[in-house]
Amino acid sequence: AFLQWWQRRNFSQLRQKRGSLFQTYSRKLLIVAVASIGTSLVAGILSGIPAAHHFGRLAPYSVVANALALPIVSLVVMPSAMASVLFMPLGLEALPLQFMGWGLQAVMWVSDWVASWPAAGLRMPLMEKTVAASLAVALALLLLPMGRLRWLSIPVFATAGLLLVGAENKPLLLVDDRAGNVAVLTDQGLAPALPKQAAASVSRWLSNAGDDAGFKKAYERKAWNCSPTKCETQQSGIKIVFLLKQPSGIPSCAKADILISQEPLRRRCKGKLVTIDRFDVWRNGAYAVNSDGQIRHTKGEQGTRPWVYEPRARIRP
């Protein structure tokens, strides 16, 4: 859509305007620069939808970074790469590759410099797939059709806004896919029960929630009271108990609304709302539990597909 708009602009008079050689090339360079910045701006804004959905990050200065890096790539990196290929049969590729290396170092310097600016990598909670899909459809209806069909984008944008507001129901509890650790949602953010276990899962939870706190800082929120056998907390009037692995392999039961266990419970214990033990995460993967007792797990999100792992119990002879 941007290309169509750009091609309809009449730049012939600006190109053919008489002047000195410097003025002529300056005008041409200006047109190329505006086109490049416009392309980066459009691509940066629209690629923000999948970036927010998959990674929970936005790059507000991407246009500046691209504007600074693209000339280096176009004038130094790519010509040096081509020259190195041409000179390679003669054994003279060292100098072009050296220039190419300097160009890549300059690009990395630009990237690191822009990334050091305030709010350069904005974190945000992962955008729900329904919201991302609705925004993508709305933008397609806005940009691709001609004439009045573009008005169809307005109700789709409104639907995306309603879905975004309705997607604010964050899970109260998250359970690792091996029950190695759990995290509860507090007023300060997610707080893991154990200080070191399942660090990769906890870091991913924090990132997906748009939380800048690291594992250590999140643990310091101290939402859990732990003993050698269990960790417990109470959030929004709901008592949560996390039973820890014991040398005997038999966890001690506890009364709770939500009961999580690192060991198989084998129906010995049960929470009033939700019960999740080692067998449950083995079958279904990681869990998310809402305050009303509704649960979601990895297998439920993946569905039944050929590449989805199906756990099978070991058959002992």
Side-chain angles (χ1 to χ4, degrees), residues 73-91:
V73 173
S74 301
L75 299 177
V76 179
V77 176
M78 297 308 296
S80 299
M82 180 62 70
S84 67
V85 173
L86 295 176
F87 288 127
M88 198 171 291
L90 304 176

Side-chain angles (χ1 to χ4, degrees), residues 12 30 47 90 95 101 139 142 145 170 176 188 193 195 233 246 249 286 302-303 307-308:
S12 58
L30 177 62
S47 63
L90 304 176
L95 185 59
L139 285 168
L142 176 65
K170 298 179 180 179
D176 174 56
Q188 297 175 313
T233 184
Q246 300 298 311
Q302 290 174 332
W307 57 84
V308 175

